Amino acid sequence: MHRLNPPLERFRVLPGQPLDLHDIPTRFDAGIPKHEGKALMHKLQKRLVELQSLLYAEGKRSLLVVMQAMDAGGKDSTLRRVFGPVDPAGCHITSFKAPTSEELAQDFLWRVHQHAPRAGYIGVFNRSHYEDVVIVSIKNLVPKAKWQHRWDHINAFEQMLTDEGTVIRKFFLHISKDYQKKRLQRRLDRPDKHWKFNVADLDERARWDDYMRVYADTMTRTSFDHAPWLVVPAERRWLRDLLILKSLVDTLEAMNPQTPEPTFDPNTITIPD
Ligand code: ATP
Ligand code: MG
């Protein structure tokens, strides 16, 4: 068995089983030395690139990757490292910010659905429809009468995407409150990072415990075999990337995309001079 399989199993959120994020480490040692981890990462990156191009050639199914984290949790750098080598023509990343007034005038899935990956593509959500239950319930941005039904709507939406040919994998980058402080401080200390510092992030930080509770509850309610959540210990960054890469490569291997049979016999065709 591959050495990354036990942590991938251990950190997968089980449907309906109560989850306490404090029980899951934010810094994890998989027993793999860093230099080995880096070599493994290159191998997995190469395989991801191959599988993505097969998925594109097949043109029938798609992969949706959902990425959630607290501020400074490392979403951007994870996406850069995991998807950097992938052909940009077949991979589309959508970052979901606070909704505009036009988006707020629609149902919460309206802006999300249009970015679901088309057949043959990998689609990545950097933040997602999960904000519509997490931040929304914590800050009471819409009445409870509305948001309390959203877990069910999300499950129905993801089931529908699955039935229509999209495979879904969801990752929560798990960091501690102390680690967030260090990463935010870095944004203050380095002039080239000032643009990343957002004073409003401190409001979310103040509600850390609420976020951990709501994230745990949300993942428990929305993790299924067809759309599982993986809580990724995210403070050791190369291991974080490795776990996500392995999970995605395994997923695509299981999808086993095939290049289509040609509709012609190449032996019967002569290219004219
Ligand atoms: P970084 O980690 O670099 O700060 P980011 O993803 O936090 O990146 P920002 O522009 O800083 O990007 O923040 C986006 C903000 O939008 C987040 O605070 C997030 O909670 C908020 N947001 C996203 N979707 C929704 C939503 N549906 N309703 C309310 N707020 C949302
Ligand atoms: Mg932010």
Side-chain angles (χ1 to χ4, degrees):
M1 191 201 276
H2 197 282
R3 275 175 301 169
L4 288 172
N5 287 356
L8 285 175
E9 268 314 299
R10 175 174 161 205
F11 302 136
R12 176 206 257 265
V13 178
L14 299 173
Q17 281 209 9
L19 168 71
D20 185 343
L21 283 167
H22 298 101
D23 295 340
I24 302 185
T26 53
R27 200 178 161 79
F28 178 69
D29 178 3
I32 302 175
K34 190 170 177 179
H35 68 276
E36 260 184 57
K38 294 263 169 173
L40 185 53
M41 189 141 112
H42 285 127
K43 245 172 85 180
L44 288 168
Q45 268 168 341
K46 216 170 137 220
R47 189 64 189 137
L48 182 67
V49 168
E50 287 165 1
L51 286 161
Q52 182 277 331
S53 92
L54 286 170
L55 188 75
Y56 189 87
E58 181 191 77
K60 289 193 178 138
R61 293 168 295 166
S62 54
L63 175 65
L64 171 62
V65 179
V66 171
M67 198 67 67
Q68 288 287 151
M70 294 297 284
D71 286 303
K75 290 184 276 67
D76 293 344
S77 74
T78 304
L79 296 183
R80 222 172 20 249
R81 307 255 207 112
V82 171
F83 294 102
V86 171
D87 185 346
C91 179
H92 190 72
I93 299 182
T94 309
S95 296
F96 290 97
K97 306 290 181 184
T100 63
S101 55
E102 195 198 355
E103 289 166 346
L104 282 173
Q106 305 282 346
D107 68 83
F108 76 103
L109 290 172
W110 178 79
R111 70 168 183 163
V112 176
H113 193 180
Q114 57 193 305
H115 294 288
R118 52 184 292 181
Y121 283 69
I122 297 179
V124 183
F125 287 175
N126 180 359
R127 300 193 188 268
S128 65
H129 43 301
Y130 283 94
E131 298 287 334
D132 293 283
V133 275
V134 178
I135 189 170
V136 163
S137 66
I138 289 174
K139 299 182 92 174
N140 252 311
L141 298 178
V142 307
K144 183 172 183 191
K146 256 194 201 177
W147 61 249
Q148 68 180 353
H149 299 296
R150 288 185 172 178
W151 289 290
D152 289 342
H153 296 313
I154 286 173
N155 288 339
F157 172 60
E158 293 185 359
Q159 182 68 62
M160 183 277 289
L161 291 180
T162 304
D163 293 343
E164 295 284 321
T166 298
V167 171
I168 304 174
R169 291 293 178 268
K170 302 178 288 200
F171 300 95
F172 175 71
L173 305 184
H174 188 32
I175 60 168
S176 65
K177 199 175 175 190
D178 278 352
Y179 182 83
Q180 188 197 47
K181 184 172 182 182
K182 282 193 203 120
R183 302 303 294 181
L184 290 175
Q185 187 62 47
R186 190 164 170 267
R187 293 179 180 182
L188 287 176
D189 293 344
R190 285 186 43 177
D192 60 323
K193 300 280 176 195
H194 284 173
W195 67 275
K196 278 204 138 201
F197 190 82
N198 181 353
V199 183
D201 290 353
L202 300 183
D203 294 341
E204 310 320 320
R205 175 174 168 77
R207 311 201 58 176
W208 186 273
D209 292 341
D210 290 338
Y211 272 99
M212 292 304 109
R213 203 177 24 77
V214 175
Y215 262 121
D217 183 35
T218 295
M219 289 193 277
T220 299
R221 290 168 182 257
T222 57
S223 193
F224 299 97
D225 284 346
H226 66 273
W229 274 105
L230 190 77
V231 178
V232 184
E235 293 183 16
R236 182 167 281 155
R237 281 171 284 162
W238 61 268
L239 190 60
R240 165 199 77 188
D241 301 336
L242 201 53
L243 285 169
I244 294 172
L245 265 168
K246 177 75 167 80
S247 165
L248 294 179
V249 166
D250 285 353
T251 300
L252 284 160
E253 296 278 11
M255 288 171 77
N256 192 19
Q258 304 288 324
T259 48
E261 286 297 319
T263 52
F264 53 87
D265 178 355
N267 297 319
T268 63
I269 299 180
T270 312
I271 314 270
D273 291 331

